[in-house]
Amino acid sequence: MIKKDLSIDFLGVHFENPFCLSSSPVGNCYDMCAKAYDEGWGGVVFKTIGPADFEIDEVSPRFDELTKEDTPFVGFKNMEQIAEHPLEENLADLRRLKTAYPNKVLIASIMGTNEQTWEELAGMVAAAGADMIEMNLSCPQMTSHAMGSDVGANPELCKKYCEAVKRGSKLPMMAKMTPNITDMVIPAKACMAGGADGIAAINTVKSIANVDLDRKIGLPIINGKSSISGFSGKAVKPLALRFIQQMRDAEGLENLPISGIGGIETWEDAAEFILLGSSTLQVTTAIMQYGYRIIEDLTNGLMHYMAEQGVDHLSELVGLANKNMIPAEKLDRDYKVLPYIDWDKCIGCGRCLISCFDGAHQAITWDEATRRPTVDPERCVGCHLCKLVCPVDAISAGEVVMKAGRVGTAASKEI
Amino acid sequence: MTIEKYQQETKGYTMTTVMAEAARCLLCHDAPCSAACPAHTDPAKFIRSVRFRNFKGAAETIRENNALGSICARVCPTEKYCELACTRTEIDCPIDIGGIQRFVTDFEQNANMDILKKGPANGLNVAIIGSGPAGLQAAATLLTLGYGVDIYEKNEKAGGYLTYGIPEYRLPSDIVDIEIQRILKLGANITYNVTVGQDITMAALKADHDAVIVAAGASVAKTLPLFAGNPYVQSAVDFLAEVKSNPTGVDLPANVLVIGGGDVAMDVDTTLKLLDVKNVTDVVYEEFAEFKASDKELAGTQKQGVTIVDGYVPTAVNGNTVTFKHRQLNSELTIEADKIILAVGQQADVTNLGIELENNELTHGGFHTDDPKVFVTGDLAQGDKTVVVAVQKGKKAAEEIHRVLGGQTND
Ligand SMILES: Cc1cc2nc3c(=O)[nH]c(=O)nc-3n(C[C@H](O)[C@H](O)[C@H](O)COP(=O)(O)OP(=O)(O)OC[C@H]3O[C@@H](n4cnc5c(N)ncnc54)[C@H](O)[C@@H]3O)c2cc1C
Ligand SMILES: Cc1cc2nc3c(=O)[nH]c(=O)nc-3n(C[C@H](O)[C@H](O)[C@H](O)COP(=O)(O)O)c2cc1C
Ligand code: SF4
């Protein structure tokens, strides 16, 4: 079995591996976090702790899922707010965790209601033994508009509350961003100006996943009604990656320390977040669906990837893909890549034919006797829709052809 | 005669289709499939790795538990082991565990992975008699523990029934060769064309080694007295070995009579059909209800167009003409054929090896013999006579030697 050093330093704290529970029910209490540490998670962001006087009163049921064909959990919608357990109990759990697992990273997620409570909570979790603080500026379904994503969308409040937290404790601190905005660079800069040491992104995306067609109510139904609330899981990964790239690309944020969150399920997802600039990674939905045991394939798979890349330290991979994302107007538009259809692998279903005709450029012809498709190189624009719909991976990138009148050679293209 | 059909293995999964099959897996908490794999190949763990797209990790799980993982993927009677236990059966049909294992081990091969590592030498040496699956797995386990391993094989190639029995369309020779190469690369020495007890004595092996493992299998065909000396008769294992070693070299007539109803007989039947033999008639002692061959093998054979007659015993033979009587009914059957293949079982030949067997296996469980230095494994030890169980017994026998010789595990 492969062994590689997955450790990484983030905001001055040493993680034995970059994988953490993100703040949510997966890290709700001592027993859960202890089990996660035992199974190999490098860190825990404990479920967001609020002020003692802010009462949490949750609905039932509180989840819904987006499916596609027979795939469950394409995306996951939740209506939870912050920790349901009393403040004192949460602080006691933090103390116990730090004592029992001194070498694992313990991060306290907090959410205040005003400058004073942010500052007080920061002091309390620091005293309880947390190694780091994460500010939850991003829960989209709080019952108070002075909390959650309404705060995260307001740069002045972000800055003010970051300053308050920094007054409350000297611990390294990251601010957790809401994706329910157009430009994440603005709140991220405001938080950094307020003293944040790094950024965690993303929290959940405001959503309605499904509507009950007979009752005409969104899901889940709570006494005949529903609410817009946060969406997470695989479906939000592309959004998370985009926000992370945009922050790392912004002037002044080039080396922004990031904890990446949103739809991480496999080591490949994890590697993508790292290549786009994340140093640590956080997971909730995949754990809710499959359990802490997914850490085995996350760590082992990432080790194999490091070996393939010839890398001994994870930090060498952080941000390597940032420079390869460029504005659309700067992309090379001088050539097309024809699809290559391997007739030995082809099973003759004709899905490429249908998609090419109905969704692309009518470039595939069909031999009715042999049930085999052929690509017309003139009509084909090289969009590769056919490759994506093929159920048996029989279509791959084939010949590179220069568009008429363009300079340069097909051979020089990195396809 | 064309040999293409005989050499053609069924198509394996692609990246997309293997993900679809892995997605059917329920990822059970207590994974009954893993508990049901004799060799502890841990299907639950490697299928989960596939689900999370960690194909290299999946390969590590298979290889570290089973040095013949790509072979087992193809030949395991999974319907008796892992797939029999699969919870998915409660919904529709079990996960195709063998197929997923085949995909992963092919991936391992394409990625040039070297998973098993030779252990630091501990100065001890073990001799192994026989290079079938049991001998090969014992060698792999001992080599990873730091032992020197010398294998003695009476045939000119290694592999036992993997090389000389299981037909090409179910187990390509290339796959067997690759698996054997891995074990040679770990440091096994194999001496070919040496029959222990005849060309070299047991005493000599014992003098040169700290332990001796007898993994000689049931490598000789059984026969029936009625057919003694009959020039039309060939044994099933001799026939299968001949075809597998040189498929273009065999000359087959139009009418072949097969006698026997186990999986080996089904392999003979199907092989004959794939080699374009026109009439293949298999007369079987058991009736279908009590058939020895698995349902899968039987169905596959019938699909090839073999005529299977159940419930008859041969009572008289006159050259190429055999008369059978039904075991219950008053019914007689006479068949004239150009060739007769007897698939009535295999037996052990342990001449001069100093081992006591009863019904071709040890009279007690485990791997010890009366001689503290000599161990028995594979088909000669008690338990199922399958490749995966031979692997399990090879591993266990090696671990037992390690325990007896006072070795420490090196990890
Ligand atoms: C036709 C056929 C098809 C089969 N199909 C399947 C299948 O699909 N799935 C499955 O799980 N099982 C199958 N089996 C059973 C399986 O092959 C055996 O259970 C397995 O090979 C036993 O392994 P082994 O190592 O104990 O012995 P073997 O594979 O029999 O190997 C014994 C080796 O020892 C060598 N040897 C014997 N005596 C000496 C000596 N004195 N000196 C030196 N070398 C010696 C032999 O040459 C041989 O190489 C099949 C068997 C046959 C015959
Ligand atoms: C049920 C549930 C509860 C959550 N509670 C919190 C919370 O208390 N604090 C917080 O910062 N984020 C919370 N989140 C957001 C997650 O921490 C995470 O940012 C988001 O789910 C995206 O990651 P994922 O796709 O791996 O789930 C919650 C998410 C879910 C699904
Ligand atoms: S998951 Fe647990 S808490 Fe939630 S409804 Fe089911 S039993 Fe109750």
Side-chain angles (χ1 to χ4, degrees), chain B residues 232-278:
Chain B
Y232 294 95
V233 171
Q234 187 178 26
S235 75
V237 286
D238 287 350
F239 166 73
L240 292 170
E242 193 183 321
V243 178
K244 193 150 186 186
S245 313
N246 183 12
T248 49
V250 287
D251 198 12
L252 292 167
N255 303 308
V256 180
L257 170 63
V258 181
I259 298 172
D263 286 328
V264 174
M266 300 302 112
D267 278 346
V268 171
D269 291 347
T270 305
T271 298
L272 287 165
K273 271 297 180 191
L274 294 175
L275 292 173
D276 293 332
V277 171
K278 194 153 170 268

Short mmCIF file of all heavy atoms in Angstrom, two decimals, chain B residues 232-278:
data_model
loop_
_atom_site.label_atom_id
_atom_site.label_comp_id
_atom_site.label_asym_id
_atom_site.label_seq_id
_atom_site.Cartn_x
_atom_site.Cartn_y
_atom_site.Cartn_z
N TYR B 232 -9.49 -44.83 -28.69
CA TYR B 232 -10.34 -43.67 -29.00
C TYR B 232 -10.45 -42.71 -27.81
O TYR B 232 -11.02 -41.64 -27.94
CB TYR B 232 -11.76 -44.14 -29.37
CG TYR B 232 -11.79 -44.93 -30.66
CD1 TYR B 232 -11.74 -46.33 -30.64
CD2 TYR B 232 -11.85 -44.26 -31.88
CE1 TYR B 232 -11.75 -47.05 -31.83
CE2 TYR B 232 -11.86 -44.98 -33.07
CZ TYR B 232 -11.80 -46.37 -33.04
OH TYR B 232 -11.81 -47.06 -34.21
N VAL B 233 -9.93 -43.13 -26.67
CA VAL B 233 -10.19 -42.38 -25.43
C VAL B 233 -9.05 -41.43 -25.07
O VAL B 233 -7.88 -41.76 -25.19
CB VAL B 233 -10.43 -43.36 -24.26
CG1 VAL B 233 -10.49 -42.61 -22.94
CG2 VAL B 233 -11.72 -44.14 -24.49
N GLN B 234 -9.44 -40.22 -24.65
CA GLN B 234 -8.46 -39.28 -24.09
C GLN B 234 -9.09 -38.71 -22.82
O GLN B 234 -10.33 -38.56 -22.74
CB GLN B 234 -8.17 -38.16 -25.09
CG GLN B 234 -7.04 -37.25 -24.64
CD GLN B 234 -6.71 -36.15 -25.66
OE1 GLN B 234 -7.56 -35.74 -26.45
NE2 GLN B 234 -5.48 -35.67 -25.63
N SER B 235 -8.28 -38.38 -21.84
CA SER B 235 -8.85 -37.79 -20.62
C SER B 235 -9.12 -36.31 -20.86
O SER B 235 -8.48 -35.66 -21.69
CB SER B 235 -7.89 -37.95 -19.44
OG SER B 235 -6.83 -37.03 -19.56
N ALA B 236 -10.07 -35.79 -20.10
CA ALA B 236 -10.46 -34.38 -20.24
C ALA B 236 -9.28 -33.45 -20.01
O ALA B 236 -9.04 -32.53 -20.79
CB ALA B 236 -11.58 -34.06 -19.24
N VAL B 237 -8.52 -33.69 -18.94
CA VAL B 237 -7.44 -32.75 -18.64
C VAL B 237 -6.32 -32.85 -19.68
O VAL B 237 -5.70 -31.83 -20.02
CB VAL B 237 -6.90 -32.88 -17.20
CG1 VAL B 237 -7.90 -32.27 -16.22
CG2 VAL B 237 -6.59 -34.32 -16.81
N ASP B 238 -6.09 -34.06 -20.21
CA ASP B 238 -5.09 -34.16 -21.28
C ASP B 238 -5.56 -33.41 -22.52
O ASP B 238 -4.79 -32.70 -23.17
CB ASP B 238 -4.80 -35.63 -21.64
CG ASP B 238 -4.00 -36.32 -20.55
OD1 ASP B 238 -3.52 -35.61 -19.64
OD2 ASP B 238 -3.89 -37.57 -20.59
N PHE B 239 -6.85 -33.59 -22.84
CA PHE B 239 -7.40 -32.89 -24.01
C PHE B 239 -7.31 -31.37 -23.83
O PHE B 239 -6.82 -30.65 -24.72
CB PHE B 239 -8.86 -33.32 -24.21
CG PHE B 239 -9.61 -32.44 -25.17
CD1 PHE B 239 -9.36 -32.49 -26.54
CD2 PHE B 239 -10.56 -31.52 -24.70
CE1 PHE B 239 -10.04 -31.66 -27.42
CE2 PHE B 239 -11.24 -30.69 -25.58
CZ PHE B 239 -10.98 -30.75 -26.94
N LEU B 240 -7.75 -30.87 -22.66
CA LEU B 240 -7.73 -29.41 -22.43
C LEU B 240 -6.30 -28.87 -22.46
O LEU B 240 -6.05 -27.79 -22.98
CB LEU B 240 -8.42 -29.07 -21.11
CG LEU B 240 -9.94 -29.32 -21.09
CD1 LEU B 240 -10.48 -29.18 -19.67
CD2 LEU B 240 -10.66 -28.35 -22.03
N ALA B 241 -5.37 -29.66 -21.90
CA ALA B 241 -3.96 -29.22 -21.88
C ALA B 241 -3.41 -29.14 -23.30
O ALA B 241 -2.73 -28.18 -23.67
CB ALA B 241 -3.13 -30.18 -21.04
N GLU B 242 -3.77 -30.14 -24.09
CA GLU B 242 -3.28 -30.18 -25.47
C GLU B 242 -3.81 -28.97 -26.25
O GLU B 242 -3.06 -28.28 -26.94
CB GLU B 242 -3.76 -31.49 -26.11
CG GLU B 242 -3.10 -31.82 -27.42
CD GLU B 242 -3.71 -33.11 -28.01
OE1 GLU B 242 -3.99 -34.06 -27.23
OE2 GLU B 242 -3.89 -33.14 -29.24
N VAL B 243 -5.11 -28.69 -26.11
CA VAL B 243 -5.68 -27.56 -26.84
C VAL B 243 -5.08 -26.24 -26.36
O VAL B 243 -4.73 -25.38 -27.15
CB VAL B 243 -7.22 -27.51 -26.68
CG1 VAL B 243 -7.79 -26.31 -27.41
CG2 VAL B 243 -7.85 -28.79 -27.17
N LYS B 244 -4.94 -26.11 -25.04
CA LYS B 244 -4.48 -24.83 -24.53
C LYS B 244 -3.03 -24.58 -24.95
O LYS B 244 -2.65 -23.45 -25.26
CB LYS B 244 -4.63 -24.74 -23.01
CG LYS B 244 -4.46 -23.29 -22.52
CD LYS B 244 -5.23 -22.94 -21.28
CE LYS B 244 -5.07 -21.45 -21.01
NZ LYS B 244 -5.64 -20.99 -19.77
N SER B 245 -2.21 -25.64 -24.97
CA SER B 245 -0.79 -25.47 -25.33
C SER B 245 -0.63 -25.17 -26.80
O SER B 245 0.26 -24.46 -27.21
CB SER B 245 0.02 -26.72 -25.01
OG SER B 245 -0.27 -27.17 -23.74
N ASN B 246 -1.52 -25.75 -27.62
CA ASN B 246 -1.31 -25.61 -29.06
C ASN B 246 -2.66 -25.72 -29.80
O ASN B 246 -2.96 -26.73 -30.42
CB ASN B 246 -0.35 -26.73 -29.52
CG ASN B 246 -0.03 -26.61 -30.99
OD1 ASN B 246 -0.35 -25.60 -31.63
ND2 ASN B 246 0.58 -27.65 -31.54
N PRO B 247 -3.48 -24.68 -29.71
CA PRO B 247 -4.85 -24.77 -30.23
C PRO B 247 -4.92 -25.06 -31.73
O PRO B 247 -5.85 -25.71 -32.18
CB PRO B 247 -5.47 -23.42 -29.90
CG PRO B 247 -4.35 -22.54 -29.50
CD PRO B 247 -3.22 -23.39 -29.07
N THR B 248 -3.95 -24.61 -32.50
CA THR B 248 -4.01 -24.87 -33.94
C THR B 248 -3.57 -26.29 -34.27
O THR B 248 -3.81 -26.78 -35.36
CB THR B 248 -3.11 -23.90 -34.73
OG1 THR B 248 -1.83 -23.90 -34.11
CG2 THR B 248 -3.68 -22.50 -34.73
N GLY B 249 -2.89 -26.93 -33.30
CA GLY B 249 -2.31 -28.24 -33.58
C GLY B 249 -3.24 -29.42 -33.42
O GLY B 249 -2.92 -30.51 -33.85
N VAL B 250 -4.42 -29.20 -32.78
CA VAL B 250 -5.28 -30.38 -32.56
C VAL B 250 -6.18 -30.64 -33.75
O VAL B 250 -6.71 -29.71 -34.37
CB VAL B 250 -6.15 -30.22 -31.28
CG1 VAL B 250 -5.32 -30.37 -30.03
CG2 VAL B 250 -6.89 -28.91 -31.29
N ASP B 251 -6.35 -31.91 -34.01
CA ASP B 251 -7.16 -32.31 -35.15
C ASP B 251 -8.40 -32.98 -34.58
O ASP B 251 -8.30 -33.99 -33.87
CB ASP B 251 -6.33 -33.30 -35.98
CG ASP B 251 -6.90 -33.43 -37.38
OD1 ASP B 251 -7.76 -32.58 -37.73
OD2 ASP B 251 -6.50 -34.37 -38.08
N LEU B 252 -9.58 -32.42 -34.84
CA LEU B 252 -10.77 -32.96 -34.19
C LEU B 252 -11.75 -33.50 -35.21
O LEU B 252 -11.99 -32.88 -36.25
CB LEU B 252 -11.44 -31.88 -33.34
CG LEU B 252 -10.62 -31.46 -32.11
CD1 LEU B 252 -11.19 -30.20 -31.50
CD2 LEU B 252 -10.59 -32.59 -31.08
N PRO B 253 -12.35 -34.66 -34.90
CA PRO B 253 -13.32 -35.26 -35.81
C PRO B 253 -14.70 -34.60 -35.66
O PRO B 253 -14.87 -33.69 -34.85
CB PRO B 253 -13.37 -36.72 -35.35
CG PRO B 253 -13.04 -36.65 -33.89
CD PRO B 253 -12.13 -35.47 -33.70
N ALA B 254 -15.67 -35.09 -36.40
CA ALA B 254 -17.00 -34.46 -36.41
C ALA B 254 -17.87 -34.91 -35.25
O ALA B 254 -18.76 -34.19 -34.83
CB ALA B 254 -17.70 -34.77 -37.73
N ASN B 255 -17.62 -36.12 -34.72
CA ASN B 255 -18.47 -36.64 -33.64
C ASN B 255 -17.65 -36.96 -32.40
O ASN B 255 -16.78 -37.83 -32.46
CB ASN B 255 -19.18 -37.92 -34.10
CG ASN B 255 -19.98 -37.68 -35.36
OD1 ASN B 255 -20.79 -36.76 -35.42
ND2 ASN B 255 -19.71 -38.48 -36.39
N VAL B 256 -17.93 -36.25 -31.33
CA VAL B 256 -17.18 -36.51 -30.10
C VAL B 256 -18.15 -36.82 -28.97
O VAL B 256 -19.16 -36.14 -28.79
CB VAL B 256 -16.28 -35.32 -29.72
CG1 VAL B 256 -15.50 -35.62 -28.44
CG2 VAL B 256 -15.30 -34.98 -30.85
N LEU B 257 -17.84 -37.89 -28.25
CA LEU B 257 -18.63 -38.27 -27.08
C LEU B 257 -17.85 -37.88 -25.82
O LEU B 257 -16.67 -38.19 -25.69
CB LEU B 257 -18.85 -39.79 -27.11
CG LEU B 257 -19.46 -40.42 -25.84
CD1 LEU B 257 -20.87 -39.89 -25.58
CD2 LEU B 257 -19.47 -41.94 -25.97
N VAL B 258 -18.52 -37.16 -24.92
CA VAL B 258 -17.89 -36.76 -23.66
C VAL B 258 -18.63 -37.49 -22.55
O VAL B 258 -19.86 -37.59 -22.58
CB VAL B 258 -17.98 -35.24 -23.46
CG1 VAL B 258 -17.30 -34.82 -22.15
CG2 VAL B 258 -17.35 -34.50 -24.64
N ILE B 259 -17.90 -37.99 -21.59
CA ILE B 259 -18.55 -38.67 -20.46
C ILE B 259 -18.15 -37.93 -19.18
O ILE B 259 -16.96 -37.82 -18.87
CB ILE B 259 -18.14 -40.16 -20.40
CG1 ILE B 259 -18.61 -40.86 -21.69
CG2 ILE B 259 -18.74 -40.83 -19.16
CD1 ILE B 259 -18.12 -42.29 -21.84
N GLY B 260 -19.14 -37.39 -18.49
CA GLY B 260 -18.87 -36.66 -17.25
C GLY B 260 -19.75 -35.43 -17.14
O GLY B 260 -20.19 -34.90 -18.17
N GLY B 261 -20.02 -34.98 -15.91
CA GLY B 261 -20.96 -33.88 -15.73
C GLY B 261 -20.51 -32.79 -14.78
O GLY B 261 -21.32 -32.03 -14.26
N GLY B 262 -19.20 -32.70 -14.58
CA GLY B 262 -18.71 -31.61 -13.72
C GLY B 262 -18.34 -30.40 -14.56
O GLY B 262 -18.55 -30.39 -15.78
N ASP B 263 -17.78 -29.38 -13.89
CA ASP B 263 -17.36 -28.18 -14.61
C ASP B 263 -16.30 -28.51 -15.67
O ASP B 263 -16.24 -27.88 -16.72
CB ASP B 263 -16.81 -27.14 -13.64
CG ASP B 263 -17.93 -26.47 -12.85
OD1 ASP B 263 -19.04 -26.32 -13.42
OD2 ASP B 263 -17.71 -26.12 -11.68
N VAL B 264 -15.44 -29.51 -15.38
CA VAL B 264 -14.40 -29.87 -16.34
C VAL B 264 -15.04 -30.42 -17.63
O VAL B 264 -14.65 -30.07 -18.74
CB VAL B 264 -13.42 -30.89 -15.74
CG1 VAL B 264 -12.42 -31.37 -16.78
CG2 VAL B 264 -12.68 -30.27 -14.54
N ALA B 265 -16.08 -31.24 -17.47
CA ALA B 265 -16.78 -31.76 -18.65
C ALA B 265 -17.41 -30.61 -19.43
O ALA B 265 -17.37 -30.61 -20.67
CB ALA B 265 -17.86 -32.75 -18.21
N MET B 266 -17.97 -29.64 -18.72
CA MET B 266 -18.58 -28.50 -19.42
C MET B 266 -17.51 -27.73 -20.20
O MET B 266 -17.76 -27.24 -21.30
CB MET B 266 -19.29 -27.56 -18.43
CG MET B 266 -20.41 -28.19 -17.62
SD MET B 266 -21.76 -28.91 -18.61
CE MET B 266 -21.54 -30.65 -18.29
N ASP B 267 -16.31 -27.60 -19.60
CA ASP B 267 -15.21 -26.93 -20.31
C ASP B 267 -14.85 -27.70 -21.58
O ASP B 267 -14.59 -27.10 -22.63
CB ASP B 267 -13.97 -26.83 -19.42
CG ASP B 267 -14.04 -25.64 -18.46
OD1 ASP B 267 -14.90 -24.76 -18.67
OD2 ASP B 267 -13.23 -25.61 -17.51
N VAL B 268 -14.83 -29.03 -21.49
CA VAL B 268 -14.51 -29.84 -22.66
C VAL B 268 -15.58 -29.64 -23.72
O VAL B 268 -15.28 -29.38 -24.90
CB VAL B 268 -14.41 -31.34 -22.26
CG1 VAL B 268 -14.31 -32.21 -23.52
CG2 VAL B 268 -13.23 -31.57 -21.33
N ASP B 269 -16.85 -29.73 -23.31
CA ASP B 269 -17.96 -29.58 -24.26
C ASP B 269 -17.87 -28.25 -25.00
O ASP B 269 -17.97 -28.18 -26.23
CB ASP B 269 -19.31 -29.60 -23.51
CG ASP B 269 -19.62 -30.98 -22.93
OD1 ASP B 269 -18.94 -31.96 -23.31
OD2 ASP B 269 -20.55 -31.06 -22.10
N THR B 270 -17.72 -27.18 -24.22
CA THR B 270 -17.72 -25.85 -24.83
C THR B 270 -16.50 -25.68 -25.73
O THR B 270 -16.60 -25.13 -26.82
CB THR B 270 -17.75 -24.77 -23.73
OG1 THR B 270 -18.88 -25.03 -22.89
CG2 THR B 270 -17.86 -23.38 -24.31
N THR B 271 -15.36 -26.16 -25.26
CA THR B 271 -14.14 -26.06 -26.08
C THR B 271 -14.36 -26.75 -27.43
O THR B 271 -14.04 -26.19 -28.48
CB THR B 271 -12.94 -26.69 -25.34
OG1 THR B 271 -12.74 -25.96 -24.13
CG2 THR B 271 -11.68 -26.67 -26.18
N LEU B 272 -14.93 -27.95 -27.40
CA LEU B 272 -15.16 -28.69 -28.65
C LEU B 272 -16.05 -27.87 -29.59
O LEU B 272 -15.79 -27.75 -30.78
CB LEU B 272 -15.83 -30.04 -28.34
CG LEU B 272 -14.90 -31.09 -27.70
CD1 LEU B 272 -15.73 -32.22 -27.10
CD2 LEU B 272 -13.90 -31.64 -28.70
N LYS B 273 -17.11 -27.29 -29.02
CA LYS B 273 -18.04 -26.52 -29.84
C LYS B 273 -17.36 -25.27 -30.41
O LYS B 273 -17.54 -24.92 -31.59
CB LYS B 273 -19.26 -26.12 -29.01
CG LYS B 273 -20.35 -27.17 -29.06
CD LYS B 273 -20.84 -27.29 -30.49
CE LYS B 273 -21.92 -28.28 -30.73
NZ LYS B 273 -22.12 -28.51 -32.17
N LEU B 274 -16.56 -24.58 -29.56
CA LEU B 274 -15.88 -23.37 -30.04
C LEU B 274 -14.86 -23.70 -31.12
O LEU B 274 -14.49 -22.85 -31.92
CB LEU B 274 -15.22 -22.62 -28.87
CG LEU B 274 -16.20 -22.03 -27.85
CD1 LEU B 274 -15.45 -21.42 -26.68
CD2 LEU B 274 -17.10 -20.98 -28.49
N LEU B 275 -14.40 -24.96 -31.11
CA LEU B 275 -13.47 -25.39 -32.15
C LEU B 275 -14.21 -26.03 -33.33
O LEU B 275 -13.62 -26.73 -34.14
CB LEU B 275 -12.44 -26.37 -31.56
CG LEU B 275 -11.46 -25.74 -30.56
CD1 LEU B 275 -10.60 -26.80 -29.90
CD2 LEU B 275 -10.59 -24.68 -31.21
N ASP B 276 -15.53 -25.76 -33.39
CA ASP B 276 -16.34 -26.15 -34.54
C ASP B 276 -16.58 -27.65 -34.70
O ASP B 276 -16.84 -28.11 -35.81
CB ASP B 276 -15.74 -25.60 -35.85
CG ASP B 276 -15.83 -24.09 -35.90
OD1 ASP B 276 -16.76 -23.54 -35.28
OD2 ASP B 276 -14.97 -23.47 -36.55
N VAL B 277 -16.53 -28.41 -33.62
CA VAL B 277 -16.88 -29.83 -33.73
C VAL B 277 -18.40 -29.91 -33.91
O VAL B 277 -19.15 -29.29 -33.17
CB VAL B 277 -16.42 -30.61 -32.48
CG1 VAL B 277 -16.97 -32.02 -32.49
CG2 VAL B 277 -14.90 -30.62 -32.42
N LYS B 278 -18.82 -30.68 -34.88
CA LYS B 278 -20.23 -30.65 -35.27
C LYS B 278 -21.14 -31.26 -34.21
O LYS B 278 -22.08 -30.63 -33.75
CB LYS B 278 -20.38 -31.41 -36.60
CG LYS B 278 -21.68 -31.17 -37.29
CD LYS B 278 -21.54 -31.37 -38.80
CE LYS B 278 -22.91 -31.37 -39.45
NZ LYS B 278 -23.46 -32.73 -39.56
#
